[in-house]
Amino acid sequence: MALLKKFGFPLLALFLLAGCAAPSNTIDVTPQIRLPQQDPSLMGVTISINGADQRTDQALAKVNRDGQLVTLTPSRDLRFLLQEVLEKQMTARGYMVGPSGAVDLQIIVNKLYADVTQGNVRYSITTQADVSIIATAKNGNKQVKTYRQSSSIQGPFSATNAKITSAVNSALTDVISDMADDTSIHEFIKQNAH
């Protein structure tokens, strides 16, 4: 009995506390990455790529849960995530990525946020994504292209982390698809990479 008191009660308390643990406040940012077609006319053009996050608030969403304002943040640095996406897309087109390229690309996260409102029986999630790519050639020419997506979903009951995560990933996936479809940066590089 003494052994049960010595180990049993602290163990029971530990299990009870574990059961009260709050859900994670991170959003697993894992958008689907679509790659563009390869351009066979590219011959050894090297570009450099870096990322920046210009959002004033690192939160992806703020949700009122049981009278508490819960801030949801991304599972990874969005700057590096989008830099990685752009590298994959440009490599798929046929470019080489290196530290000193003929054209420098900077991908900037201007906005990525899910505005969540919920009442007693319904919720609404409005997601906005805004990403810019700045292409700067060694000859001084520059081009800026901005990709924006917004979407809104509604449903019964409350906006769970899974629903918010899905909305954020959907908006980011749409932006990445737009980047894959758009050829304006690609054309700019081809014209200015010599």
Side-chain angles (χ1 to χ4, degrees):
M1 189 66 175
L3 193 61
L4 182 64
K5 280 184 181 172
K6 187 173 184 182
F7 294 110
F9 290 120
L11 207 56
L12 181 65
L14 194 63
F15 283 124
L16 287 173
L17 284 173
C20 296
S24 171
N25 288 341
T26 58
I27 289 181
D28 189 21
V29 182
T30 51
Q32 292 178 7
I33 300 171
R34 207 166 107 231
L35 300 176
Q37 294 292 316
Q38 184 172 2
D39 182 344
S41 72
L42 289 175
M43 292 294 185
V45 176
T46 301
I47 57 171
S48 70
I49 297 175
N50 69 60
D53 188 347
Q54 294 189 341
R55 297 173 305 138
T56 53
D57 188 346
Q58 296 308 300
L60 287 180
K62 292 182 180 173
V63 188
N64 191 338
R65 293 203 172 123
D66 303 322
Q68 297 277 323
L69 190 63
V70 177
T71 300
L72 303 177
T73 54
S75 57
R76 58 180 293 196
D77 190 323
L78 295 178
R79 174 183 47 166
F80 294 123
L81 170 72
L82 283 165
Q83 182 178 328
E84 192 179 289
V85 166
L86 186 58
E87 282 179 15
K88 286 179 180 174
Q89 288 184 338
M90 297 315 271
T91 303
R93 283 195 199 277
Y95 292 101
M96 291 184 291
V97 177
S100 57
V103 176
D104 299 324
L105 297 183
Q106 182 178 39
I107 185 161
I108 301 168
V109 186
N110 300 313
K111 181 183 254 185
L112 182 61
Y113 190 76
D115 188 19
V116 180
T117 55
Q118 48 190 7
N120 293 335
V121 291
R122 293 193 67 70
Y123 71 85
S124 160
I125 304 170
T126 303
T127 311
Q128 292 185 326
D130 187 314
V131 173
S132 295
I133 298 176
I134 301 173
T136 309
K138 295 290 183 241
N139 63 14
N141 288 345
K142 192 178 208 175
Q143 180 174 343
V144 179
K145 180 70 187 196
T146 302
Y147 305 91
R148 292 184 182 96
Q149 284 290 339
S150 64
S151 62
S152 188
I153 58 168
Q154 297 179 354
F157 309 117
S158 64
T160 62
N161 283 11
K163 291 172 187 167
I164 297 168
T165 299
S166 175
V168 167
N169 281 322
S170 177
L172 208 47
T173 295
D174 289 346
V175 162
I176 290 167
S177 286
D178 289 349
M179 287 165 48
D181 291 341
D182 183 47
T183 58
S184 61
I185 295 289
H186 174 53
E187 294 302 326
F188 173 85
I189 295 169
K190 283 169 65 174
Q191 290 165 12
N192 292 276
H194 36 74

